């Protein structure tokens, strides 16, 4: 058991013990979710603000439900109709939220490092719910949790992350966490989205799908973020699907017990076919359930962390 | 306390419960993580022999129900496992040491989420003074006079008489 941090900002800065602490704690919070009464009083009287400057529905709902299940009060700050539209700076917005005695700020922002900035200027606990293409730590942790739960271990596991790696914060959080815990990571996709520079993070980079998935224990599919790519990284979705889409026939080339994962939302028929996404190897919906447990664990753990504690970030 | 006196204290706890309940058909034991788990199992063994029937044993973690979560590092969360229905039962909460009463309060709260027992009682191996809440044990193995700063460490080993209870004082006792 090791957790001193006031904030959860990324997986890059977490130690192996800290990651394991979150995963172990989440296991017990998952059990709470399976009870008749799914709520515990751990954050009673605390206020959690979800400050989503970039739109997201599922992550926000997951955080809000996690906070509710811990008995916190939850406020959703909607950037689309807020003062941020009127030119208020992020710092001023956050300080105003803190002046309302918000204890936790869960932030999603298109700028990498925005949560780290807030953690320096605020006394409130800060959780990164996705910052640009940098990290999405709770998604990374819930992916690790799901793999560990299903496969019984992470060390030595062969994990293939497939798709839009370059623009993906989910990929980066996965890579940091998986490498720290001893898993082998293969990245695959079009060369424009999977540059060799990722080899510096300890990953194998391949551009041939068969080579990438033949020995995989886990295939983590990333969404093709066609809205995020400013210039076309590949000729078209049809070509992407032809070369990298996971279909039932392509699963014949994999280990029979390979796990199919996806952070959602799925582009059915693009990165994955419906009969694979809904098939017996898919754990996509379990990832959603586990995400709630991970977010409860994260809020629970950082609640006890203090900025002044030795070892804090 | 040495092995023999720990065994004697557990026997006293068991005798007290048997005196109260002539038969155990509605009694369930729930050990509080982590110190109450071993004790609950040992106690269940004694009671099963006295009643000639198995006594269900569960385990309850109170970390999420503590009242000091923002004043300390988050305590480790241990599994809660109560694989039976406690509604209408006579629940005996089991812990190794009763001191401030805050753990017992949290346990009552946590128990509430699992069902509505007919009655809840508290059994502790070691009863210390220094209560901070109006909570008393119903079944007590041993009263031990301690100073507020003392640490009481109960080490239970099942079946070989090697159980021990240590009292550690941070500074020498005043005479």
């Amino acid at each position: 058991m090791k957790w001193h941090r006031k904030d959860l900002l990324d997986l890059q800065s977490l130690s192996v013990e800290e990651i394991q602490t979150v995963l172990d704690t989440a296991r017990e919070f998952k059990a709470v979710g399976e009870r008749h009464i799914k709520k515990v009083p751990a954050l009673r009287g605390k206020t959690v603000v979800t400050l989503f400057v970039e739109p997201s529905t599922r992550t926000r709902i997951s955080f809000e439900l996690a906070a509710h299940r811990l008995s916190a009060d939850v406020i959703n700050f909607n950037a689309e109709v807020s003062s941020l539209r009127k030119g208020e700076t992020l710092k001023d917005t956050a300080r105003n939220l803190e002046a309302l005695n918000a204890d936790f700020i869960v932030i999603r922002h298109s700028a990498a490092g925005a949560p780290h900035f807030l953690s320096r200027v605020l006394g409130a606990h800060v959780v990164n719910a996705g910052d640009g293409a940098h990290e999405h730590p709770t998604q990374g942790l819930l992916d690790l949790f799901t793999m560990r739960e299903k496969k019984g271990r992470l060390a030595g596991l062969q994990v293939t992350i497939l798709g839009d790696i370059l623009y993906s914060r989910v990929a980066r959080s996965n890579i940091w966490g998986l490498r720290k815990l001893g898993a082998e990571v293969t990245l695959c996709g079009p060369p424009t989205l999977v540059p060799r520079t990722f080899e510096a993070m300890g990953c194998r980079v391949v551009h041939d799908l068969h080579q990438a998935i033949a020995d995989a224990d886990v295939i983590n599919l990333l969404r093709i973020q066609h809205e995020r790519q400013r210039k076309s990284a590949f000729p078209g979705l049809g070509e992407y699907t032809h070369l990298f889409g996971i279909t039932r026939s392509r699963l014949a080339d994999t280990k029979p017990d390979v796990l199919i994962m996806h952070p959602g939302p799925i582009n059915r028929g693009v990165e994955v076919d419906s009969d694979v996404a809904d098939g017996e190897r898919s754990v996509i919906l379990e990832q959603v359930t586990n995400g709630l447990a991970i977010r409860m664990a994260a809020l629970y753990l950082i609640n006890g962390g203090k900025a002044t504690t030795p070892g804090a970030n | 306390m040495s092995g023999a006196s720990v065994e004697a204290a557990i026997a006293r706890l068991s005798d007290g419960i048997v005196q109260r309940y002539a038969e155990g058909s509605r009694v369930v034991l729930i050990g509080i993580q982590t110190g109450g788990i071993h004790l609950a199992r040992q106690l269940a063994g004694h009671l099963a022999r006295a009643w000639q029937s198995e006594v269900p044993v569960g385990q309850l973690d109170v970390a999420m129900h503590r009242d000091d979560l923002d004043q300390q590092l988050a305590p480790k969360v241990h599994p809660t496992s109560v694989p039976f229905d406690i509604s209408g039962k006579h629940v005996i909460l089991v812990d190794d040491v009763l001191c401030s009463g805050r753990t017992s309060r949290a346990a009552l709260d946590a128990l509430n989420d699992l069902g509505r027992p007919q009655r809840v009682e508290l059994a502790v191996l070691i009863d210390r003074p220094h209560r901070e809440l109006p909570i008393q044990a119903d079944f007590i193995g041993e009263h031990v006079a301690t100073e507020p700063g003392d640490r009481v460490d109960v080490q239970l080993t099942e079946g070989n008489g090697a159980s021990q209870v240590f009292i550690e004082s941070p500074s020498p006792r005043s005479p």
Side-chain angles (χ1 to χ4, degrees):
Chain A
M1 180 72 184
K2 184 182 188 313
W3 192 275
H4 298 277
R5 292 172 189 270
K6 163 186 160 287
D7 310 302
L8 175 62
L9 301 177
D10 52 47
L11 289 191
Q12 182 179 3
S13 62
L14 294 190
S15 68
V16 170
E17 294 75 22
E18 285 170 325
I19 293 172
Q20 280 167 343
T21 295
V22 183
L23 302 183
D24 292 346
T25 305
R27 192 176 53 209
E28 307 310 332
F29 277 104
K30 185 174 182 183
V32 171
E34 290 160 1
R35 287 185 203 155
H36 185 59
I37 294 177
K38 300 174 181 62
K39 194 161 177 164
V40 293
L43 295 188
R44 198 166 62 92
K46 303 286 180 184
T47 303
V48 176
V49 178
T50 51
L51 172 57
F52 277 59
V53 184
E54 191 184 59
S56 158
T57 308
R58 64 187 61 217
T59 303
R60 184 172 55 75
I61 285 176
S62 181
F63 268 109
E64 290 184 1
L65 188 53
H68 281 298
R69 293 241 169 119
L70 293 167
S71 304
D73 297 315
V74 183
I75 296 169
N76 167 30
F77 186 95
N78 186 344
E80 296 299 311
V81 294
S82 75
S83 45
L84 283 166
R85 284 272 141 167
K86 301 174 189 163
E88 189 178 50
T89 66
L90 178 62
K91 183 175 176 181
D92 284 333
T93 300
R95 281 199 161 154
N96 273 277
L97 295 172
E98 202 173 45
L100 294 169
N101 294 327
D103 301 289
F104 295 81
I105 293 183
V106 178
I107 178 172
R108 163 157 301 185
H109 201 287
S110 55
H116 302 68
F117 167 73
L118 281 193
S119 80
R120 287 194 296 273
V121 298
L122 296 182
H125 302 280
V126 177
V127 182
N128 181 1
D131 60 329
H134 176 230
E135 281 221 42
H136 189 351
T138 56
Q139 179 71 44
L141 289 164
L142 80 88
D143 287 346
L144 296 182
F145 182 92
T146 306
M147 292 176 209
R148 193 179 77 162
E149 187 181 55
K150 289 288 167 191
K151 294 291 183 185
R153 69 194 162 97
L154 287 170
L157 215 57
Q158 299 283 343
V159 180
T160 294
I161 308 175
L162 181 60
D164 177 355
I165 309 290
L166 185 60
Y167 294 91
S168 173
R169 54 193 170 215
V170 176
R172 283 176 183 78
S173 287
N174 262 267
I175 293 166
W176 284 117
L178 287 167
R179 292 299 296 145
K180 280 171 198 269
L181 287 158
E184 301 298 329
V185 179
T186 297
L187 306 177
C188 181
T192 45
L193 293 177
V194 190
R196 295 236 170 253
T197 46
F198 279 91
E199 287 172 351
M201 292 177 81
C203 303
R204 180 173 73 129
V205 174
V206 300
H207 299 117
D208 170 67
L209 181 65
H210 177 77
Q211 200 187 342
I213 64 176
D215 295 322
D217 297 304
V218 177
I219 302 174
N220 200 356
L221 298 162
L222 300 180
R223 194 171 66 89
I224 291 301
Q225 306 182 78
H226 33 83
E227 76 281 7
R228 201 182 284 274
Q229 286 144 19
R230 292 183 183 86
K231 51 184 188 289
S232 195
F234 47 87
L237 288 179
E239 178 169 317
Y240 180 86
T241 305
H242 178 66
L243 289 173
F244 299 106
I246 296 294
T247 59
R248 186 159 285 280
S249 63
R250 279 188 171 145
L251 278 190
D253 299 339
T254 64
K255 289 188 180 174
D257 59 347
V258 67
L259 287 189
I260 302 293
M261 299 177 59
H262 193 301
I266 307 172
N267 294 318
R268 285 178 184 267
V270 179
E271 63 261 5
V272 61
D273 265 6
S274 277
D275 56 351
V276 174
D278 304 328
E280 68 281 359
R281 301 186 216 184
S282 163
V283 291
I284 295 172
L285 290 175
E286 285 176 69
Q287 288 175 265
V288 178
T289 306
N290 293 339
L292 187 58
I294 284 287
R295 289 171 183 125
M296 288 175 78
L299 292 170
Y300 169 82
L301 288 169
I302 62 175
N303 182 43
K306 300 278 180 288
T308 50
T309 310
N313 32 335
Chain B
M1 281 168 75
S2 65
S5 46
V6 174
E7 295 294 333
I10 295 175
R12 267 197 298 283
L13 272 180
S14 164
D15 291 347
I17 294 169
V18 171
Q19 266 180 22
R20 176 135 170 69
Y21 295 100
E23 56 90 36
S25 63
R26 292 173 72 197
V27 177
V28 300
L29 299 186
I30 296 184
I32 300 175
Q33 289 278 17
T34 56
I37 305 300
H38 268 302
L39 181 61
R41 272 197 220 113
Q42 293 199 23
L43 207 47
H46 282 263
L47 294 172
R49 283 192 290 280
W51 287 328
Q52 294 295 306
S53 62
E54 284 301 303
V55 182
V57 182
Q59 51 187 45
L60 186 66
D61 188 71
V62 304
M64 301 169 194
H65 292 79
R66 296 190 65 91
D67 59 10
D68 56 357
L69 286 175
D70 56 356
Q71 294 165 31
Q72 58 164 7
L73 295 179
K76 182 169 166 62
V77 183
H78 295 92
T80 289
S81 169
V82 181
F84 44 82
D85 186 9
I86 62 169
S87 298
K89 295 287 169 44
H90 295 159
V91 172
I92 300 178
L93 285 173
V94 180
D95 206 356
D96 53 354
V97 182
L98 174 59
C99 186
S100 69
R102 289 184 187 271
T103 301
S104 305
R105 187 218 55 84
L108 287 169
D109 204 4
L111 199 60
N112 221 6
D113 291 351
L114 303 179
R116 184 182 183 278
Q118 177 67 35
R119 178 188 293 146
V120 183
E121 290 171 301
L122 178 62
V124 297
L125 187 65
I126 306 292
D127 187 18
R128 298 178 63 183
H130 328 301
R131 209 75 78 237
E132 295 169 8
L133 292 170
I135 282 175
Q136 308 302 336
D138 300 279
F139 307 104
I140 294 167
E142 185 81 50
H143 293 275
V144 178
T146 55
E147 297 295 318
D150 292 351
R151 245 179 57 82
V152 174
D153 186 17
V154 176
Q155 298 177 357
L156 293 183
T157 55
E158 275 166 66
N160 59 5
S163 301
Q164 301 178 87
V165 176
F166 295 100
I167 300 176
E168 295 162 27
S169 302
S171 55
R173 295 274 186 90
S174 49

